[in-house]
Amino acid sequence: MFQDITTAMSQFYRPKVPTLMLNVAFHENRVFSGDHLIGRVLLDLSDADAVIHEFILEARGYGKTGWVNIHTDKIYETEKDYLNSITSLTASGSSVISPGRHQFPFQIPIPPDCPTSYESQFGTIRYTLTVRVTTNSEVTNATQTFPFYVFTKSFFDDFPSGLLKPMENKDEVDFTVCALPFGTVRSKIAVARVAYCLGETIDVHAFISNRTRKALKQCTLQLMLKTTYEAMSRYEHVNEKKLQEQTIEQKSLGKVKPRTDITFQNCLLKIPELAPPTRYNRNIGEPYIIALSYVIRFTASPGVETELPIVVTTHGYRESYQNSKAHY
């Protein structure tokens, strides 16, 4: 008797097993702005009586920035939508799908002004694809969300032609009244051009003239990503900006002896394939809440620093890119 009651209770409280499973296979692991997000929805169904009332894809992209000013306790936060589209994978009205695995291809246009996916402490830009299936039974209802990654498509042609010419930046520090007695340090960093593609290697030349009586130590070249966040105060509705710096690649150069001039040649800094491309405000339209820029920075101890801004794009020339797409 007790065994029969236990069996009955276990049947009553047994959790419902889903009879519909969802997955998404993207054609590429990243999509460029202005292109299409292409893929297939994979649907596994084991319920022969399931009737699908709604089968939709919701693509969404949004950005957030926010922080608290530790000196004033003011809260700054901003949200912005970049993508919000809904696509139906079935015809209007209810439809019956036989048990088994089914594939539903999709193509969703990504607006050309969508910014690159980004994750950080003070701001994020995220893109998700939500698959939602509503049926005649709660057991076969399903909703799954899948992240995807967007890169802002950019070319050399999008920037002034002067960025493709050699560029250098000079600086001079006078240590006469500082820790280093009676002397100056002159520094110069130079590159063959300012614009580069993701995955390219930057060949940097650094010239250092140490006219002081002490050695310069910890000489380093760095590829730096500068992120500028913009958000609005919660109550005053006033915008404020915050700057964050991140070292992407660096090369140690050693030290420079006193009263010595030295040139560091063929210092190679590689731009990662998945680094976010340059994105900065050009006073056109609405300002970005997250702006990205790059610099090559030379530093030495004590107190020597020189920067040279560079531009990182996803592609080279637009014509070469279009020809390569036409070829394939």
Side-chain angles (χ1 to χ4, degrees):
M1 176 179 176
F2 290 105
Q3 185 176 359
D4 294 339
I5 294 176
T6 303
T7 303
M9 293 294 290
S10 64
Q11 292 289 338
F12 180 78
Y13 287 109
R14 180 177 297 172
K16 297 179 180 179
V17 179
T19 58
L20 187 149
M21 303 292 290
L22 294 172
N23 203 351
V24 168
F26 293 111
H27 183 260
E28 297 281 352
N29 59 357
R30 61 177 179 174
V31 58
F32 290 106
S33 58
D35 291 349
H36 286 77
L37 178 67
I38 301 174
R40 294 168 292 127
V41 175
L42 308 178
L43 184 150
D44 286 294
L45 181 65
S46 59
D47 188 348
D49 299 322
V51 177
I52 294 181
H53 298 314
E54 186 182 52
F55 191 1
I56 62 172
L57 297 181
E58 182 179 357
R60 184 159 183 248
Y62 61 93
K64 286 184 178 182
T65 55
W67 62 85
V68 177
N69 188 315
I70 60 175
H71 303 292
T72 63
D73 290 332
K74 290 183 179 179
I75 299 173
Y76 293 85
E77 55 189 359
T78 293
E79 293 189 22
K80 185 175 175 62
D81 286 332
Y82 299 109
L83 172 64
N84 200 342
S85 71
I86 295 178
T87 304
S88 178
L89 293 181
T90 57
S92 58
S94 301
S95 58
V96 179
I97 297 180
S98 60
R101 167 164 288 194
H102 303 270
Q103 299 186 18
F104 299 85
F106 62 84
Q107 289 193 32
I108 299 174
I110 304 300
D113 58 346
C114 280
T116 300
S117 301
Y118 193 72
E119 295 285 336
S120 69
Q121 177 183 359
F122 303 112
T124 59
I125 297 175
R126 295 175 180 171
Y127 296 88
T128 57
L129 182 67
T130 299
V131 185
R132 184 175 294 109
V133 179
T134 305
T135 71
N136 60 333
S137 171
E138 181 182 346
V139 179
T140 51
N141 289 342
T143 299
Q144 289 286 339
T145 298
F146 305 88
F148 65 94
Y149 303 93
V150 171
F151 273 62
T152 303
K153 189 190 299 181
S154 57
F155 303 90
F156 289 166
D157 316 65
D158 298 332
F159 300 90
S161 58
L163 297 184
L164 299 174
K165 298 178 181 179
M167 183 72 68
E168 64 180 37
N169 192 30
K170 301 177 182 179
D171 197 12
E172 182 175 314
V173 182
D174 189 349
F175 288 101
T176 300
V177 292
C178 298
L180 296 182
F182 309 108
T184 60
V185 174
R186 293 191 298 274
S187 57
K188 179 179 72 174
I189 53 178
V191 292
R193 50 188 163 94
V194 178
Y196 294 87
C197 292
L198 294 176
E200 276 197 288
T201 298
I202 308 172
D203 188 355
V204 187
H205 294 255
F207 170 77
I208 311 299
S209 176
N210 182 11
R211 299 291 93 198
T212 69
R213 299 176 186 176
K214 292 187 177 181
L216 295 177
K217 299 179 180 179
Q218 299 175 344
C219 297
T220 306
L221 272 175
Q222 298 170 305
L223 174 61
M224 304 292 299
L225 170 62
K226 292 187 175 186
T227 307
T228 303
Y229 306 92
E230 185 167 332
M232 182 177 292
S233 58
R234 180 177 292 180
Y235 303 108
E236 293 85 358
H237 302 292
V238 177
N239 280 4
E240 182 172 296
K241 294 183 179 181
K242 178 181 285 291
L243 176 65
Q244 186 180 38
E245 296 186 341
Q246 178 184 352
T247 301
I248 302 298
E249 180 87 336
Q250 73 175 24
K251 184 176 182 64
S252 297
L253 304 178
K255 64 181 181 178
V256 180
K257 297 179 180 179
R259 308 293 188 185
T260 300
D261 296 345
I262 188 171
T263 299
F264 298 100
Q265 295 184 344
N266 304 119
C267 303
L268 304 180
L269 298 173
K270 184 175 176 59
I271 305 171
E273 291 278 357
L274 299 179
T278 296
R279 179 178 171 88
Y280 58 78
N281 292 320
R282 303 185 204 174
N283 299 321
I284 299 177
E286 201 173 339
Y288 301 144
I289 62 173
I290 300 179
L292 306 171
S293 60
Y294 287 86
V295 298
I296 296 172
R297 176 182 294 168
F298 171 82
T299 59
S301 179
V304 177
E305 183 175 307
T306 306
E307 285 187 356
L308 178 65
I310 65 165
V311 170
V312 175
T313 66
T314 55
H315 301 86
Y317 288 103
R318 191 182 305 273
E319 183 178 358
S320 300
Y321 171 77
Q322 292 173 343
N323 289 339
S324 63
K325 288 195 69 176
H327 176 74
Y328 289 103

